[in-house]
Amino acid sequence: MSYFAWDPALETGHQILDAEHRSLFALANKLEAAIENSPDDEGTVSDAVYGLIGYVVEHFNDEEAIMREYRYPMAGPHRSLHEQLSVETLSISARYFNGEDVTPAQLAPLVCTWLRDHIQVHDMALVQYIESIDASRKPTVPA
């Protein structure tokens, strides 16, 4: 069952970013499935929480490396948005693992909703910038 459907409208055209975005949605679905199918199996749920959080961090690192490679002028504000989601997801996770009144079910919708908004605005702008840089690097061939 897919709780968080990948929307082809979220495709940026950047192969690496798109693959990682799809993976994030898949991990959010894995977390939701673990919660639904194995609610009493803390190991399965915990593994799914760690998997999603770990991949969020990995994806942001990869995306920020791309921004550095292309010297993206909006890298600072973009990175700040990544930090905000990272802090929020780590906070929910820490509270869950500390036994506080929070469920891992709050994590997947947060990540997917945030990602949809982030991809449509900020990642699309990044990819447009990358495409403009790549286009200017291509040598022109005389006709």
Side-chain angles (χ1 to χ4, degrees):
M1 171 178 258
S2 182
Y3 303 92
F4 306 103
W6 174 255
D7 183 348
L10 296 174
E11 296 284 335
T12 65
H14 191 281
Q15 199 171 21
I16 294 169
L17 296 179
D18 289 339
E20 290 187 2
H21 292 154
R22 284 189 300 274
S23 293
L24 284 164
F25 274 76
L27 288 166
N29 282 313
K30 183 177 179 180
L31 174 57
E32 288 294 314
I35 292 165
E36 183 176 299
N37 301 326
S38 307
D40 298 327
D41 183 353
E42 288 185 30
T44 299
V45 173
S46 294
D47 287 349
V49 169
Y50 282 126
L52 179 58
I53 293 170
Y55 201 76
V56 164
V57 171
E58 181 179 333
H59 167 64
F60 288 166
N61 286 336
D62 291 347
E63 196 169 286
E64 290 168 14
I66 291 167
M67 287 190 277
R68 283 190 300 277
E69 175 186 347
Y70 283 89
R71 297 180 183 184
Y72 183 50
M74 297 302 295
H78 198 129
R79 222 177 6 261
S80 177
L81 295 169
H82 289 174
E83 289 170 9
Q84 289 171 5
L85 180 65
S86 296
V87 165
E88 207 166 340
T89 58
L90 291 172
S91 173
I92 290 171
S93 302
R95 290 172 40 219
Y96 165 70
F97 288 119
N98 287 329
E100 294 180 29
D101 188 23
V102 64
T103 68
Q106 295 170 295
L107 190 59
L110 167 72
V111 170
C112 288
T113 300
W114 186 92
L115 270 175
R116 279 187 186 102
D117 295 340
H118 184 77
I119 291 168
Q120 290 174 328
V121 176
H122 304 284
D123 288 350
M124 292 292 190
L126 169 61
V127 171
Q128 287 174 352
Y129 177 79
I130 289 169
E131 289 171 349
S132 73
I133 295 296
D134 286 344
S136 69
R137 289 180 181 169
K138 290 183 182 174
T140 55
V141 178

